[in-house]
């Protein structure tokens, strides 16, 4: 009788092939040795088997190794480590035990993989630079942010952190399903109860087959608030949630930027992560200090990278690089050459090193054992749904336990009422259990409890104590029934538990979130704020200098060289401001352009600076006035040569444009121009001073607020050949007036009577050939310092205490000695530093 072939029947359907393609069916043959010794070769189609095997392998990696579960936020190895540590009694209050013992317990009982895989996972759970909220407390060398490996597990010890206990809480109350372990000798939890939203808090990284997950960590306080908001309103919009969870919160801090709405809506997105750089000063040189680095960046590698760039001169002007990090605090120091602008060094660090890095978010997790990409609302929904299941199961367990105990207490109370009879049955009965049931109608549980209780204890039972316990159990049963009967009660418990977690473990954010793109962020957040002097010359050069460059001198001093100017140029304006202030450049055509103070090039006192037209891109117009602004609040007051004034809200200029905007509608024939722009608050007095020695004082309420396109109204009526040289908002005790030939005086503001707008004004200073025309009049206080500049670049700084207060008609005193052919161009007030 002929043996039947035991191989699968081959599919003989012709298959169309592409050039160079080799089909699996033709690549494999299965050689089978029949039992009777006859040789036979049978073709076997294996593509289906390979496909099935590969899918089985892929799902095994996805489900059992690389991808965490949304319910408890754990990968299988992490879950097994925590459960094993709990079974070993390694609670936060207990002593640590050798990591080798923990690893051995995990691989021997639950995790049939290598010891390295388990130890590496446990080490990561203990690193405060890897996990935002570590779950394992490690004692010994558990690695460093420099990439140093941990010590071998025979040298280190570990136990659970308090936070890990929250994940395991109620595991013994039939809240989760237990499955057989790999050899069917023990049971292990399929999931943990997961009181903490661990997946959001610590994130996860894993590469499976055909898919990967990369979830960033978040702040516990923000996540807790988001859960509570979702419980209160399950239909809450994503926009509301993104106001609560502003973005990921990495354990290493840093600065991040990205489209958070898209990230939390789709579960996918790209974050730009930057390290944090602070600036310090040491012996007149700027020092850059890196205090925070991007998440998962190796500090040692980063330093090597910076050192190589400095050596190759891709990053210039770095004198010294050293690592001063200590006790978990990062401090990488870069000392710069004297006079170097840190702006370019910082930009180079971000461009060429991993001090700026990207984090590609892919919020992939197992939901019910199946991989799924989740948005923020999906995550919150799954957390709340899972906790509802856990709390319901826990409550049922507690209810059954309370009912059982109540049943036993009722039996014990019945025993006390019939104590002698019960004792007699127990002592002398042939079948005490059956006799107790038949005589007193005890249940099986009650009989078991009575028989397990010693006679001595039965007689000592307190009736009052049992009655009180019965009342307490009745209350508990009522509460449990209420919870099980009302979904709202379950939600209340979720909110209460989340609030407790927030209060117990919550901490401030470490990572700063930027709403704007980093490309739009200047060095404001990286440069130390300090007082500076900004100098503008008549030919349009601007520079920034430290205010300490000017030494205070006495009246009559010759001053110091302010700058090395080109022939015919002179310093037109000096202003003091903070490096973080906005500079508003008002032009001869009535436009305004913006620049940050720190974007003005820094120069030595002898440098001429940089052309404003190149900084602002000006054509056929000059800058006539510059003011500094911290916030776009209150108003501006403008004045022109012809005595026109205009009030406008600063909010009209709150959106800087590179091309500038119109500030005042000046005549097209250039017959008038701006001479002054000042910040103004409602109700403040104004002063206009003219070159022929007139001045007017009136209240700003007399000027209505106008739009950007208007011209303004009359502030002062001028005589022939006279023009306005000064606009001041009066907030001080006196007005200091300076003339072209170096004469000046202080006059009390009270001497200037207040009049209506559009008057002819009063005498401010007696103008003579000796004094020259008035150059400027500024409001000052006693003790203020001033800086006076001349056409030939002379600069003198002095204290006003050396100049006495005089009347309005006085000519003043000589405040600066001028060289032949030189004259005063401007005066500004500075604040003395304490």
């Amino acid at each position: 009788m002929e043996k039947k072939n035991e191989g699968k029947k081959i599919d003989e359907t012709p298959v169309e092939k592409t050039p160079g393609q080799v089909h699996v069916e033709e690549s494999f043959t299965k050689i089978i040795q029949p039992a009777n010794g006859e040789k036979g070769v049978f073709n076997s189609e294996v593509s289906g088997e390979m496909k099935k095997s590969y899918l089985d392998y892929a799902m095994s990696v996805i489900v059992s190794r690389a991808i965490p579960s949304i319910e408890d936020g754990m990968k299988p190895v992490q879950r097994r480590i925590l459960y094993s540590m709990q079974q070993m009694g390694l609670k936060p209050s207990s002593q640590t035990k050798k990591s080798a013992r923990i690893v051995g317990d995990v691989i021997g009982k639950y995790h049939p993989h290598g010891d390295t895989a388990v130890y590496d996972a446990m080490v990561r759970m203990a690193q405060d630079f890897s996990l935002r909220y570590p779950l394992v407390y490690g004692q010994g060398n558990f690695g460093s942010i420099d990439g140093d490996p941990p010590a071998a597990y025979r040298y280190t010890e570990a136990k659970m952190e308090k936070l890990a206990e929250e994940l395991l809480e109620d595991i013994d109350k039939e809240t989760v399903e237990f499955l057989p372990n790999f050899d069917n000798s023990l049971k292990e939890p399929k999931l943990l109860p997961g009181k903490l939203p661990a997946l959001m808090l610590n994130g996860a990284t894993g590469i499976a087959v055909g898919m990967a997950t990369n979830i960033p960590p978040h702040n516990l306080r923000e996540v807790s608030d988001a859960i509570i908001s979702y419980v209160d309103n399950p239909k809450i919009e994503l926009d509301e949630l993104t106001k609560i969870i502003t973005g990921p919160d990495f354990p290493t801090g840093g600065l991040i930027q990205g489209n958070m709405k898209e990230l939390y809506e789709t579960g996918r997105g790209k974050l730009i992560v930057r390290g944090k750089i602070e600036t310090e000063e040491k012996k007149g040189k700027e020092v850059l200090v890196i205090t925070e680095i991007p998440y998962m960046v190796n500090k040692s590698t980063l330093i090597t990278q910076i050192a190589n760039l400095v050596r190759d001169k891709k990053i210039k002007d770095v004198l010294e690089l050293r690592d001063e990090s200590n006790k978990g605090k990062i401090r990488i120091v870069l000392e710069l050459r004297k006079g170097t602008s840190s702006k370019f060094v910082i930009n180079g660090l971000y461009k060429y090193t991993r001090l700026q890095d990207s984090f590609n978010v892919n919020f992939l997790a197992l939901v019910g054992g199946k991989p799924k990409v989740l948005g923020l609302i999906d995550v919150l929904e799954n957390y709340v749904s899972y906790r509802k299941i856990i709390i319901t199961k826990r409550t049922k367990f507690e209810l059954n336990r309370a009912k059982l105990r109540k049943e036993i207490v009722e039996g014990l109370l019945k025993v006390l009422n019939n104590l002698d009879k019960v004792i007699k049955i127990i002592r002398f009965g042939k079948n005490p259990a059956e006799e107790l049931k038949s005589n007193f109608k005890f249940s099986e549980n009650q009989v078991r409890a009575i028989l397990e209780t010693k006679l001595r204890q039965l007689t000592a039972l307190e009736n009052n104590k049992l009655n009180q316990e019965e009342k307490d159990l009745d209350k508990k049963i009522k509460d449990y029934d209420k919870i099980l009967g009302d979904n709202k009660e379950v939600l209340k418990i979720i909110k209460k538990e989340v609030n407790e977690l927030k209060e117990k473990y919550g901490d401030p954010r470490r990572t700063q979130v930027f709403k704007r793109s980093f490309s739009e962020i200047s060095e404001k957040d990286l440069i130390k704020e300090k007082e500076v002097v900004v100098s503008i010359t008549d030919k349009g050069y601007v520079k920034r200098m430290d205010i300490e460059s000017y030494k205070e001198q006495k009246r009559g001093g010759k001053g110091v060289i302010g700058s090395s100017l080109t022939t015919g140029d002179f310093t037109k304006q000096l202003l003091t401001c903070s490096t973080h202030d906005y500079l508003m450049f008002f032009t001869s055509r009535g436009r305004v352009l913006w620049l940050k103070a720190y974007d003005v090039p820094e120069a030595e006192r002898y440098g001429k600076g940089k052309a404003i037209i190149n900084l602002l891109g000006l054509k056929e117009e000059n800058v006539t006035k510059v003011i500094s602004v911290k916030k776009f609040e209150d108003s501006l007051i403008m004045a022109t040569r012809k005595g026109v004034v205009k009030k406008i809200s600063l909010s009209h200029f709150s959106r800087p444009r590179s091309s500038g905007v119109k500030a005042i509608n000046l005549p097209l024939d250039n017959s008038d121009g701006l001479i002054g722009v000042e910040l103004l608050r409602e109700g403040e007095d104004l002063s206009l001073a003219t070159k022929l020695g007139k001045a007017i004082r009136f209240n700003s309420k007399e000027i209505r607020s106008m739009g950007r396109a208007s011209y303004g109204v009359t502030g002062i009526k001028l005589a022939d050949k006279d023009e306005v040289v000064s606009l001041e908002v009066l907030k001080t005790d006196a007005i200091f007036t300076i003339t072209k030939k170096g004469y000046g005086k202080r006059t009390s503001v009270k001497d200037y009577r207040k009049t209506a707008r559009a008057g002819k004004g009063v005498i401010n200073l007696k103008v003579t050939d000796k004094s020259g025309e008035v150059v400027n009049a500024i409001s000052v206080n006693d003790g203020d310092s001033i800086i006076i500049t001349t056409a030939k670049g002379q600069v003198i700084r002095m204290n006003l205490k050396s100049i006495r207060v005089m009347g309005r008609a006085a000519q003043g005193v000589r405040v600066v000695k001028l060289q032949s052919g030189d004259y005063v161009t401007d005066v500004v007030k500075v604040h003395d530093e304490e």
Side-chain angles (χ1 to χ4, degrees):
M1 191 173 176
E2 204 171 320
K3 286 256 183 186
K4 290 185 179 178
N5 291 345
E6 294 178 359
K8 293 182 179 177
K9 185 178 180 182
I10 194 165
D11 184 0
E12 297 178 353
T13 307
V15 180
E16 187 179 343
K17 304 174 192 173
T18 56
Q21 182 179 1
V22 179
H23 282 269
V24 174
E25 293 90 336
E26 296 177 1
S27 303
F28 291 92
T29 57
K30 187 175 182 181
I31 302 175
I32 301 172
Q33 182 69 43
N36 60 3
E38 295 179 10
K39 290 184 177 180
V41 178
F42 303 93
N43 287 329
S44 179
E45 195 277 310
V46 296
S47 62
E49 185 65 31
M50 288 183 67
K51 183 177 179 181
K52 180 180 179 300
S53 298
Y54 187 76
L55 284 174
D56 288 345
Y57 163 72
M59 287 307 298
S60 175
V61 173
I62 291 166
V63 175
S64 302
R65 195 180 303 177
I67 309 298
S69 295
I70 187 64
E71 290 86 357
D72 62 358
M74 298 282 105
K75 295 180 182 180
V77 65
Q78 296 170 326
R79 189 180 299 120
R80 287 162 174 166
I81 288 168
L82 293 181
Y83 180 66
S84 185
M85 291 176 86
Q86 189 210 41
Q87 295 299 104
M88 292 173 70
L90 294 179
K91 296 181 179 180
S93 57
S94 68
Q95 288 187 336
T96 55
K97 286 187 180 178
K98 284 286 185 185
S99 298
R101 186 170 172 186
I102 299 167
V103 172
D105 200 69
V106 173
I107 63 176
K109 292 180 178 178
Y110 310 112
H111 200 66
H113 299 281
D115 56 346
T116 303
V118 175
Y119 186 52
D120 286 351
M122 191 178 82
V123 164
R124 191 172 187 276
M125 292 166 75
Q127 292 174 337
D128 59 2
F129 54 87
S130 293
L131 263 63
R132 182 64 176 83
Y133 300 94
L135 301 173
V136 171
Y137 172 80
Q139 186 169 298
N141 175 16
F142 273 76
S144 73
I145 200 168
D146 284 315
D148 299 320
Y153 54 47
R154 62 182 176 273
Y155 299 119
T156 61
E157 297 181 359
K159 63 180 179 179
M160 286 196 298
E161 286 277 13
K162 288 183 179 179
L163 214 64
E165 274 194 317
E166 306 290 352
L167 287 167
L168 290 154
E169 190 176 301
D170 302 324
I171 198 169
D172 56 346
K173 295 181 180 178
E174 299 177 2
T175 51
V176 294
E177 183 183 356
F178 276 76
L179 301 174
N181 68 340
F182 61 89
D183 63 358
N184 207 22
S185 61
L186 294 167
K187 297 279 188 180
E188 63 173 311
K190 184 179 180 181
L191 296 167
L192 300 182
K195 188 177 180 181
L196 277 168
L199 195 56
M200 281 290 284
L201 299 185
N202 283 327
T205 302
I207 301 172
V209 179
M211 60 183 67
T213 185
N214 203 25
I215 303 169
H218 289 77
N219 184 268
L220 176 56
R221 287 179 182 173
E222 292 183 356
V223 174
S224 299
D225 288 338
I227 291 168
I228 291 166
S229 298
Y230 178 80
V231 169
D232 289 336
N233 178 21
K235 294 182 180 179
I236 190 170
E237 295 290 333
L238 184 64
D239 288 339
E240 291 298 314
L241 288 172
T242 51
K243 291 176 184 177
I244 301 169
I245 298 181
T246 54
D249 188 24
F250 295 110
T252 52
L255 319 168
I256 61 169
Q257 179 274 324
N259 189 336
M260 299 303 170
K261 185 176 179 182
E262 180 186 350
L263 187 155
Y264 289 128
E265 185 175 10
T266 64
R268 289 192 174 96
K270 183 178 180 180
L271 298 173
I272 304 298
V273 189
R274 275 186 173 182
K276 190 174 182 181
I277 303 176
E278 296 177 355
T279 57
E280 297 177 0
E281 197 167 308
K282 183 180 179 182
K283 296 179 181 179
K285 295 184 291 187
E286 269 197 289
V287 177
L288 297 182
V289 182
I290 301 169
T291 57
E292 296 173 6
I293 63 176
Y295 184 53
M296 300 304 288
V297 168
N298 185 308
K299 178 165 69 71
S300 181
T301 304
L302 176 66
I303 293 170
T304 303
Q305 200 175 18
I306 295 171
N308 291 337
L309 290 167
V310 172
R311 182 197 62 199
D312 298 339
K313 295 184 179 180
K314 276 196 171 183
I315 295 179
K316 299 178 181 179
D317 299 318
V318 176
L319 284 176
E320 188 176 350
L321 170 67
R322 60 182 180 270
D323 186 6
E324 296 181 357
S325 305
N326 188 25
K327 294 182 180 178
K329 290 186 178 180
I330 292 173
R331 184 178 168 85
I332 303 169
V333 179
L334 291 86
E335 284 194 18
L336 308 183
R337 295 182 191 276
K338 192 171 183 179
T340 300
S341 173
S342 60
K343 173 181 178 179
F344 303 105
V345 178
I346 290 167
N347 287 341
L349 290 172
Y350 286 142
K351 183 175 182 180
Y352 299 119
T353 75
R354 288 193 67 193
L355 199 59
Q356 178 169 309
D357 206 10
S358 61
F359 188 97
N360 293 303
V361 178
N362 186 27
F363 212 115
L364 179 77
L366 298 177
V367 181
K370 296 179 181 179
K372 184 180 178 183
V373 177
L374 303 163
L376 177 57
I377 293 177
D378 297 327
V379 174
L380 299 178
E381 181 185 358
N382 277 281
Y383 171 80
V384 172
S385 297
Y386 184 62
R387 286 303 295 165
K388 281 164 71 175
I389 293 168
I390 297 298
I391 290 168
T392 302
K393 287 183 175 181
R394 180 184 71 193
T395 307
K396 285 180 179 177
F397 177 84
E398 297 282 6
L399 177 62
N400 291 333
R401 189 164 65 176
K403 284 181 176 179
L404 178 61
R405 179 58 187 167
K406 185 188 175 186
E407 183 183 345
I408 291 167
V409 169
E410 287 173 346
L412 293 174
L413 285 169
K414 194 184 288 186
V415 167
L416 287 178
N417 293 331
N418 303 278
L419 190 57
D420 293 335
K421 292 180 180 179
V422 170
I423 291 173
K424 187 177 179 181
I425 292 172
I426 293 171
R427 291 185 64 187
F428 304 109
K430 291 181 180 179
N431 190 348
E434 292 301 323
E435 289 184 30
L436 286 172
K437 284 182 189 178
S438 60
N439 288 328
F440 301 103
K441 307 298 182 185
F442 285 132
S443 67
E444 191 70 40
N445 291 328
Q446 289 172 332
V447 169
R448 191 181 303 111
I450 293 165
L451 292 177
E452 287 174 357
T453 305
K454 295 179 181 178
L455 288 174
R456 178 165 51 83
Q457 291 176 306
L458 280 175
T459 56
L461 285 173
E462 297 179 20
N463 192 52
N464 292 337
K465 197 173 181 180
L466 289 172
N467 280 320
Q468 184 60 46
E469 186 179 358
E470 186 180 31
K471 288 178 183 178
D472 293 341
L473 288 168
D474 283 334
K475 186 179 182 305
K476 284 182 180 179
I477 290 167
K478 187 178 179 182
D479 291 342
Y480 295 145
D481 283 331
K482 185 180 179 182
I483 292 167
L484 293 173
D486 189 353
N487 187 53
K488 291 180 180 178
E489 294 297 320
V490 177
L491 295 175
K492 281 182 186 177
I493 294 171
I494 293 174
K495 284 174 61 177
K496 177 175 172 287
E497 291 181 347
V498 167
N499 260 320
E500 287 172 353
L501 292 171
K502 176 185 169 184
E503 294 300 320
K504 197 172 180 181
Y505 304 106
D507 59 355
R509 281 191 70 87
R510 297 182 189 175
T511 302
Q512 188 177 355
V513 180
F514 278 88
K515 301 295 182 184
R516 299 169 292 164
S517 168
F518 276 134
S519 60
E520 299 171 5
I521 297 173
S522 298
E523 286 65 35
K524 174 183 175 182
D525 304 294
L526 306 171
I527 291 177
K528 184 180 178 181
E529 187 172 8
K530 61 181 179 180
E531 288 291 305
V532 292
V533 175
V534 175
S535 164
I536 300 101
T537 73
D538 186 59
K539 288 192 175 180
Y541 286 90
V542 62
K543 66 178 178 180
R544 169 168 58 93
M545 297 167 287
D546 197 309
I547 200 167
E548 293 299 324
S549 300
Y550 298 99
K551 295 179 180 178
E552 194 171 281
Q553 298 179 18
K554 294 181 180 178
R555 178 171 69 85
K558 292 185 178 180
V560 295
I561 298 297
S563 56
S564 179
L565 301 173
T566 56
T567 304
D569 197 9
F570 61 90
T571 303
K572 186 177 181 181
Q573 186 183 352
L574 285 176
L575 58 92
T576 58
C577 63
S578 163
T579 49
H580 287 185
D581 289 353
Y582 271 103
L583 296 180
M584 298 178 70
F585 292 79
F586 293 85
T587 73
S588 56
R589 289 188 173 182
R591 292 197 309 137
V592 60
L593 298 99
W594 295 261
L595 205 63
K596 275 288 190 179
Y598 54 70
D599 283 329
V600 174
E602 188 171 17
E604 295 294 326
R605 196 174 62 218
Y606 303 98
K608 69 178 181 179
K610 188 172 182 178
I612 295 176
I613 58 172
N614 294 333
L615 278 176
L616 300 176
L618 296 178
K619 292 181 181 179
E620 298 180 2
E621 58 184 323
N622 300 315
V623 172
T624 58
K625 186 69 178 179
V626 183
I627 67 166
S628 62
V629 178
K630 287 188 184 295
K631 295 181 180 179
F632 292 94
E633 298 172 352
D634 301 320
S635 299
L636 282 178
I637 186 73
M638 304 178 191
T640 72
R641 288 196 309 270
K642 287 190 173 181
V644 173
V645 290
K646 173 181 175 179
K647 183 165 70 174
I648 183 171
S649 173
L650 258 177
S651 60
H652 287 292
F653 306 105
S654 62
R655 295 182 179 178
R657 299 180 196 169
S658 57
S659 59
V661 297
K662 185 177 286 187
I664 185 171
N665 197 3
L666 294 173
L668 296 176
D669 59 1
N670 292 329
S671 59
D672 197 4
L674 276 176
I675 59 91
V677 183
E678 299 291 339
L679 295 171
L680 177 72
R681 289 184 178 177
E682 191 63 30
E684 290 180 322
D685 285 351
L686 304 175
S687 167
L688 296 174
T690 74
K691 71 178 183 179
L692 298 182
K694 289 283 189 177
I696 188 171
R697 176 188 174 192
F698 59 90
N699 194 278
S700 61
K701 288 182 179 178
E702 296 194 30
I703 311 170
R704 64 179 177 82
S705 190
M706 307 172 198
R708 287 194 288 109
S710 64
Y711 178 38
V713 295
T714 301
I716 185 172
K717 291 181 180 177
L718 300 172
D720 290 342
K721 297 183 181 179
D722 199 3
E723 61 185 41
V724 176
V725 294
S726 164
L727 164 69
E728 286 293 311
V729 177
L730 297 177
K731 302 177 182 178
T732 58
D733 301 328
I735 290 177
F736 176 76
T737 306
I738 187 78
T739 68
K740 199 169 184 178
K741 292 186 178 180
Y743 283 79
K745 67 167 184 174
R746 277 194 295 157
T747 305
S748 174
V749 170
K750 294 178 181 177
D751 289 352
Y752 299 87
R753 61 185 175 84
K754 194 183 295 187
T755 64
R757 175 180 62 81
K760 291 185 178 180
V762 297
I763 293 174
N764 175 37
L765 181 142
K766 187 178 180 181
V767 174
T768 64
D769 291 340
K770 181 182 177 181
S771 66
E773 295 172 344
V774 173
V775 172
N776 203 351
I778 61 174
S779 57
V780 293
N781 282 315
D782 187 32
D784 281 350
S785 291
I786 57 172
I787 293 176
I788 300 169
T789 58
T790 73
K792 289 187 176 180
Q794 290 287 102
V795 178
I796 185 169
R797 176 175 176 173
M798 66 176 66
N799 193 289
L800 286 172
K801 287 179 180 178
S802 61
I803 303 172
R804 64 185 178 86
V805 178
M806 308 176 193
R808 287 191 292 106
Q811 179 181 259
V813 296
R814 185 179 294 277
V815 295
V816 59
K817 291 180 181 179
L818 297 171
Q819 299 174 9
S820 176
D822 199 7
Y823 58 89
V824 173
T825 58
D826 204 359
V827 60
V828 294
K829 179 176 65 176
V830 295
H831 297 285
D832 289 327
E833 296 187 3
E834 296 178 0

